Amino acid sequence: EVQLVESGGGLVQPGGSLRLSCAASGFTFSRSDMSWGRQAPGKGLEWVSGISSRGASTSYADSVKGRFTISRDDAKNTLYLQMSSLKTEDTAVYYCATAAVVGGTWYMSTAKGQGTQVTVSS
């Protein structure tokens, strides 16, 4: 059974930083493409970033490019999202999920964890 546990969210001021973690189990993490997505209040799930198996390539939504960095530690079965220069519009629940890339477009699996809340506010 796929299990994903996100952590590291919290309240941060605009311009601040946070590092999210996602502990994975129940599947072969090192062979899986992974993604982060987010859902703001009243909005749908938005794909944020993806990383290929073994970290060979990464991709970002335009809204976070240059501010967020995705990474992975296959020895720890853990996915990370380093977020810097945070904006109020980054406020959302952040989820990790396995992913697939089709024609250059990233798709997140429906199997996600409980998410971690990120609130950017002064």
Side-chain angles (χ1 to χ4, degrees), residues 2 28 30 69 95 97 100-101 106 117:
V2 172
T28 307
S30 62
T69 302
Y95 300 92
V101 183
W106 284 78
Q117 175 71 48

Side-chain angles (χ1 to χ4, degrees), residues 4-70:
L4 299 162
V5 180
E6 301 93 340
S7 62
L11 173 64
V12 62
Q13 292 186 340
S17 299
L18 279 176
R19 188 196 197 200
L20 306 183
S21 299
C22 170
S25 62
F27 63 103
T28 307
F29 179 77
S30 62
R31 295 181 183 176
S32 300
D33 296 337
M34 298 294 297
S35 274
W36 284 98
R38 65 188 181 186
Q39 187 164 20
K43 297 187 177 181
L45 183 65
E46 174 192 15
W47 175 82
V48 171
S49 181
I51 186 168
S52 63
S53 61
R54 307 189 191 283
S57 64
T58 58
S59 186
Y60 299 91
D62 287 343
S63 58
V64 306
K65 199 172 294 183
R67 300 188 298 120
F68 290 10
T69 302
I70 190 172

